[in-house]
Amino acid sequence: MSRTILGCHLSVSAGFFAMGEEALSIDANTFQFFTRNPRGSKAKAIDPADVQRLLDLLEKEKFGRLLAHAPYTLNPCSKDERVREFAAATMADDLERLRYLPGAMYNFHPGSHVGQGIDVGIELIAKQLNDLLDDEGDTLILLETMAGKGSEVGSTFEELKRIIDLTEKKERLGVCIDTCHLNDAGYDVKNDIDGVLETFDKVIGIERIRAVHVNDSKNEVGARKDRHAKIGEGTIGLEAILTIMRHPALKDLPFYLETPNDVPGYQEEIKLLRSHLDR
Ligand code: FE
Ligand code: FE
Ligand code: ZN
């Protein structure tokens, strides 16, 4: 039997081991969490004993890789230098903390160029990455594909490729595709996932995709909005989501749900998806 690596977004507030237990209780074999309050406030100190209990559980239960998500309010390519410095300091601190969690990947939103133009945005992001990756660790950093609302950078594969090209330690970089964001950015994942992934392969190289956020969308293709829907309740729909998750280029990657759900809601979605996918 092959078991899909599937989980959802969980809250770190009760600690690391508690997230592992919560994931297990809803039949997840991976999960995502925010490294700190999404507004970017100070993170709680790591309790090494708590993290070790989680690591033991992950190994015993054969979990897939965890995904740590940076606060989505950070803007590494802000016009305001202090905002950029705050993003740099926060991400550096996150990476420092993630050294306690070997194997976990670190996902972030590239940022919004807020009127400076896409070229300046891309350069600022790459500069931050080059500074950030000058660390002692080996955490894999994922750039998330964005929906393209406002002046978001990273809603096209070409933009992500340019960021990667300007980064020195490319071996530390991957991409997390988000099905809702792809849809909202204008990539027709519902009707043509083959074509979308072929384009990704041509522009970036398919092996860069290291994780998938599985979300339905409240919007039509190309709406540039970013509003997630529950699986089967959006414009992408259950059948297309299953086709995406079964795609040969994606099926062995970790999938994380970020649908508007509480934990029992996630449990239902995981059950539904596993009933179709796990054989
Ligand atoms: Fe995200
Ligand atoms: Fe996402
Ligand atoms: Zn989103």
Side-chain angles (χ1 to χ4, degrees):
M1 186 184 111
S2 82
R3 207 167 132 75
T4 308
I5 305 167
L6 172 62
C8 62
H9 189 90
L10 294 175
S11 164
V12 72
S13 59
F16 284 91
F17 179 66
M19 279 192 290
E21 282 197 307
E22 189 161 52
L24 256 189
S25 77
I26 59 172
D27 206 18
N29 55 356
T30 187
F31 57 89
Q32 170 178 277
F33 60 97
F34 283 127
T35 51
R36 62 191 70 217
N37 178 303
R39 297 260 146 222
S41 59
K42 209 170 144 31
K44 257 205 302 198
I46 290 263
D47 170 1
D50 177 40
V51 172
Q52 190 54 51
R53 286 177 77 203
L54 172 65
L55 290 173
D56 293 344
L57 179 114
L58 300 179
E59 193 181 306
K60 176 165 167 269
E61 303 292 342
K62 301 191 167 48
F63 268 51
R65 294 178 85 160
L66 305 188
L67 188 56
H69 196 308
Y72 51 77
T73 45
L74 297 184
N75 189 0
C77 62
S78 169
K79 213 172 3 197
D80 183 340
E81 192 183 346
R82 281 164 313 172
V83 174
R84 292 200 304 270
E85 275 169 7
F86 180 69
T90 303
M91 290 176 73
D93 184 54
D94 280 350
L95 279 193
E96 193 58 45
R97 297 153 51 80
L98 283 171
R99 293 177 65 186
Y100 286 93
L101 267 179
M105 302 180 285
Y106 185 53
N107 176 70
F108 79 107
H109 296 182
S112 295
H113 65 69
V114 280
Q116 302 172 98
I118 194 72
D119 296 345
V120 173
I122 286 169
E123 270 167 43
L124 288 172
I125 294 160
K127 185 186 173 305
Q128 288 237 7
L129 279 171
N130 281 323
D131 291 345
L132 184 71
L133 291 174
D134 204 16
D135 65 350
E136 305 284 288
D138 58 3
T139 302
L140 194 66
I141 316 269
L142 305 187
L143 296 146
E144 181 167 352
T145 63
M146 301 312 295
K149 65 176 183 316
S151 62
E152 271 175 356
V153 180
S155 66
T156 69
F157 301 155
E158 286 76 8
E159 289 171 12
L160 294 172
K161 164 73 171 162
R162 287 174 62 195
I163 297 170
I164 296 167
D165 278 347
L166 289 171
T167 306
E168 280 154 45
K169 292 190 183 159
K170 297 178 178 48
E171 70 282 5
R172 295 274 304 274
L173 292 184
V175 171
C176 172
I177 59 171
D178 181 311
T179 54
C180 166
H181 297 177
L182 286 175
N183 174 82
D184 288 21
Y187 292 104
D188 192 357
V189 293
K190 177 191 171 88
N191 298 302
D192 188 21
I193 186 65
D194 283 340
V196 171
L197 292 176
E198 252 166 59
T199 306
F200 189 99
D201 190 38
K202 264 186 221 133
V203 177
I204 299 182
I206 201 77
E207 68 290 340
R208 273 295 165 197
I209 304 180
R210 303 303 293 268
V212 183
H213 283 164
V214 254
N215 303 306
D216 215 323
S217 169
K218 294 202 164 125
N219 299 104
E220 298 303 322
V221 182
R224 301 179 77 88
K225 282 243 174 67
D226 190 0
R227 287 169 65 230
H228 301 195
K230 294 181 187 178
I231 304 301
E233 295 184 13
T235 53
I236 302 174
L238 176 63
E239 276 316 308
I241 299 257
L242 291 172
T243 303
I244 294 166
M245 295 179 75
R246 287 182 181 125
H247 195 284
L250 305 178
K251 67 178 183 34
D252 296 323
L253 293 172
F255 295 94
Y256 310 89
L257 294 159
E258 302 176 308
T259 46
N261 268 313
D262 50 14
V263 172
Y266 280 134
Q267 181 169 24
E268 283 305 305
E269 274 183 347
I270 289 170
K271 192 175 163 196
L272 172 71
L273 292 170
R274 288 207 185 284
S275 76
H276 290 280
L277 296 169
D278 291 357
R279 297 279 173 244

